[in-house]
Amino acid sequence: MLKVRSETEQQKLYKSLRKKYSEKSFHGLRYKTFKSYQLSTQIGHLLNSHTKYINISKNRTGDLFEGRFKRKEIDSELYLAQIICYIHRNPIHHRISEEYDLYPYSSYNELISETITLLNKTCVSEIFGTKENYISAHDEFKNLLGEDYLLEK
């Protein structure tokens, strides 16, 4: 799940980065002034960068992802809470892991840990309130789906 920066947020980030780097070393600088990017362009840059990194590090070529990405606007805190639980369910759904906290590449454990991460823990804690509510919401989501929890059999 990604939060797309508003044009104002993008402009603020651009200005702060411009100050930190000399003009010649400012990575990706194509324009002398700020230029806003649409959502699809931002996602495209992210996916292309990730694909290049994986291809170079694994000495491979080609696409990593099939088809186009999907996007849905999250218009309420309830829906956001459901999406967080849904995303954390994916390793269980695909039978990679049996429980939320056993999958090492999930943000599930990071969001309840005390360690400093790049995740927006404040946003998540505002949605769920306490660590106990966060854990119980995931359990409720799992119980709500019942047998559909493991969709791939």
Side-chain angles (χ1 to χ4, degrees):
M1 177 173 57
L2 301 171
K3 178 186 181 287
V4 178
R5 291 185 178 105
S6 68
E7 187 169 335
T8 304
E9 291 169 321
Q10 290 178 47
Q11 198 164 23
K12 187 177 178 180
L13 178 62
Y14 175 85
K15 286 178 181 178
S16 71
L17 290 174
R18 282 285 297 194
K19 291 176 188 174
K20 290 182 182 180
Y21 300 98
S22 69
E23 192 167 319
K24 291 182 180 180
S25 69
F26 191 72
H27 179 71
L29 181 63
R30 293 185 192 162
Y31 307 100
K32 295 267 185 219
T33 59
F34 169 74
K35 181 180 183 318
S36 176
Y37 289 102
Q38 298 296 324
L39 170 66
S40 57
T41 304
Q42 292 179 50
I43 299 293
H45 288 169
L46 173 69
L47 296 177
N48 286 334
S49 296
H50 181 67
T51 300
K52 286 177 185 175
Y53 170 78
I54 295 296
N55 283 346
I56 290 169
S57 66
K58 303 289 184 188
N59 197 24
R60 64 178 302 278
T61 60
D63 298 334
L64 294 181
F65 305 100
E66 291 181 18
R68 296 184 49 80
F69 65 88
K70 296 177 186 176
R71 62 181 179 215
K72 287 190 171 190
E73 182 178 357
I74 298 174
D75 56 4
S76 71
E77 280 198 6
L78 175 62
Y79 187 42
L80 179 57
Q82 290 173 335
I83 292 296
I84 291 168
C85 294
Y86 173 84
I87 289 169
H88 289 147
R89 179 186 127 249
N90 276 329
I92 299 167
H93 165 78
H94 293 288
R95 297 191 182 269
I96 297 170
S97 179
E98 292 183 14
E99 292 296 331
Y100 294 114
D101 58 350
L102 297 178
Y103 187 60
Y105 306 106
S106 171
S107 61
Y108 177 84
N109 289 322
E110 283 188 53
L111 286 167
I112 54 177
S113 76
E114 300 298 321
T115 59
I116 297 172
T117 69
L118 295 174
L119 299 173
N120 188 346
K121 291 182 181 186
T122 305
C123 174
V124 175
S125 66
E126 287 173 358
I127 293 165
F128 292 100
T130 65
K131 183 178 1 183
E132 291 75 22
N133 287 348
Y134 172 82
I135 294 168
S136 69
H138 281 76
D139 291 339
E140 286 177 31
F141 187 74
K142 189 175 182 178
N143 293 334
L144 178 69
L145 291 173
E147 285 298 313
D148 291 335
Y149 191 71
L150 295 171
L151 297 177
E152 294 183 357
K153 297 179 180 175

